[in-house]
């Protein structure tokens, strides 16, 4: 959407929207399934809202509406530019997580968005024999993202707003007991089966931590066990330990422009 000229201030309608579910084989015949109505977690709709608010509050209806305007092909293409390699299903609900990804791939995509660089993840960097001779060195594939820098900056600003904007699903990270500036996104699957949070510090010197809580047998976690409630506290504790023990160097700061744009939005909404 941002590539097509939308901005974080552009308004999208948060209202009921139905998506077609296609055909299903029942016995020997195909039956057209009824459309699926997309609901928000709070069961409410807020009318026209800025994209940054829809993202911060993780609102499903405007996200699906925006994806239907942009087109599923463009959504999938942009995901691949961010480093997603898994085949994504050409469903409109892929925009809100209908396609499965493993956690490492998801984390690496958020790392790419935070840094502007795609780097192939690896576990073993180097192997040496008993004499100290190097017998293996991992040559990790590293490349700039094929996303316009101005678009990437808006993505970063939008994800930073998830933390800084009141009502954002990760707003609990915007307080004095968590002094590390991060961007990120919560995720909660249907029936509270999985709770996720992926968060990053800024730039090429930053780090990304992804947390997924769920049972191996796909049982429900329990009512209201969302990413913001279950996964985010683990992210918070881990990030504090990483920087508190100086495992990742100094904490990177977000560009002043990103923080100022969010400040201006907060001032404007306060005045309203």
């Amino acid at each position: 959407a941002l590539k097509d000229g939308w901005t974080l201030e552009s308004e999208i309608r948060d209202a009921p929207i139905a998506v077609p579910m296609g055909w299903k084989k029942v016995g020997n015949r195909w039956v057209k399934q009824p459309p699926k109505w997309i609901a928000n977690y709070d069961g409410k709709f807020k009318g026209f809202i800025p994209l940054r608010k829809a993202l911060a509050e993780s609102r499903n209806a405007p996200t699906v509406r925006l994806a239907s305007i942009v087109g599923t092909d463009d959504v999938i293409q942009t995901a691949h530019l961010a480093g997603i390699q898994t085949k994504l299903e050409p469903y409109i609900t892929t925009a809100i997580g209908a396609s499965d990804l493993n956690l490492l791939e998801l984390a690496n995509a958020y790392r790419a968005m935070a840094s502007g660089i795609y780097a192939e993840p690896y576990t073993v960097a180097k192997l040496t024999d008993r004499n100290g001779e190097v017998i293996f060195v991992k040559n990790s594939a590293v490349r700039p993202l094929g996303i316009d820098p101005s678009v990437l900056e808006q993505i970063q600003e939008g994800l930073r707003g998830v933390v800084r904007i009141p009502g954002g699903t990760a707003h609990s990270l915007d307080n004095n007991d968590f002094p590390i500036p991060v961007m990120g996104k919560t995720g909660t699957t249907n029936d509270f089966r999985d709770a996720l949070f992926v968060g990053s510090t800024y730039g090429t010197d930053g780090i990304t931590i992804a947390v997924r809580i769920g049972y191996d047998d796909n049982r429900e976690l329990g009512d209201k066990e969302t990413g913001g409630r279950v996964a985010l506290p683990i992210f918070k504790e881990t990030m504090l330990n990483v920087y508190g023990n100086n495992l990742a160097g100094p904490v990177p700061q977000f560009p002043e422009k990103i923080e100022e744009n969010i400040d201006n939005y907060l001032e404007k909404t306060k005045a309203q």
Side-chain angles (χ1 to χ4, degrees):
L2 298 170
K3 286 194 300 178
D4 289 349
W6 292 67
T7 73
L8 293 173
E9 303 306 329
S10 300
E11 295 200 335
I12 186 75
R13 192 176 176 218
D14 180 15
I17 182 171
V19 297
M21 296 300 290
W23 295 76
K24 181 180 181 181
K25 193 170 185 180
V26 179
N28 295 322
R29 64 193 184 98
W30 288 91
V31 177
K32 188 174 183 179
Q33 299 182 92
K36 176 180 176 63
W37 286 91
I38 303 299
N40 294 317
Y41 173 71
D42 61 5
K44 300 175 182 178
F45 299 97
K46 297 188 174 183
F48 284 95
I49 57 174
L51 294 192
R52 70 167 78 239
K53 183 179 179 70
L55 176 61
E57 297 183 2
S58 199
R59 305 194 73 75
N60 293 329
T63 304
V64 168
R65 179 168 277 106
L66 183 63
S68 68
I69 295 170
V70 172
T72 307
D73 288 345
D74 275 3
V75 172
I76 292 174
Q77 180 188 33
T78 304
H80 289 317
L81 286 176
I84 298 297
Q85 297 177 4
T86 296
K87 180 184 176 182
L88 300 175
E89 299 297 339
Y91 309 141
I92 199 69
T93 48
T94 287
I96 53 173
S99 293
D100 289 336
L101 296 177
N102 68 58
L103 192 62
L104 177 61
E105 190 172 18
L106 187 64
N108 209 46
Y110 275 82
R111 180 73 241 133
M113 289 187 287
S115 66
I117 293 173
Y118 172 80
E120 182 182 323
Y122 57 89
T123 303
V124 178
K126 181 172 67 175
L127 292 175
T128 58
D129 62 19
R130 67 179 63 185
N131 299 316
E133 295 293 326
V134 176
I135 57 177
F136 169 81
V137 175
K138 172 64 179 177
N139 293 317
S140 180
V142 177
R143 59 170 171 79
L145 286 187
I147 297 175
D148 185 277
S150 64
V151 171
L152 186 63
E153 188 174 86
Q154 288 191 81
I155 294 172
Q156 294 165 343
E157 184 179 322
L159 291 170
R160 177 72 175 133
V162 177
V163 173
R164 290 206 52 207
I165 295 173
T169 54
H171 187 56
S172 63
L173 295 176
D174 189 36
N175 58 48
N176 292 332
D177 68 348
F178 188 76
I180 303 167
V182 295
M183 55 181 256
K185 188 70 185 66
T186 56
T188 307
T189 58
N190 289 347
D191 301 318
F192 304 101
R193 298 183 190 280
D194 299 272
L196 299 103
F197 183 75
V198 187
S200 305
T201 46
Y202 178 79
T204 55
D205 293 328
I207 64 170
T208 294
I209 295 171
V211 180
R212 177 258 177 183
I213 305 296
Y215 290 108
D216 290 343
D217 60 5
N218 206 30
R219 279 181 289 153
E220 296 177 18
L221 291 170
D223 188 38
K224 297 183 179 179
E225 297 293 343
T226 63
R229 175 172 170 160
V230 182
L232 189 145
I234 297 172
F235 165 87
K236 178 180 177 180
E237 181 179 344
T238 306
M239 189 69 83
L240 285 170
N241 281 326
V242 166
Y243 283 108
N245 291 304
N246 198 30
L247 301 178
V251 177
Q253 301 298 309
F254 281 81
E256 288 184 12
K257 181 181 177 183
I258 286 178
E259 302 288 31
E260 287 174 359
N261 286 345
I262 298 174
D263 287 340
N264 292 337
Y265 170 77
L266 295 174
E267 285 297 319
K268 184 174 70 174
T269 54
K270 190 185 298 182
Q272 295 172 350

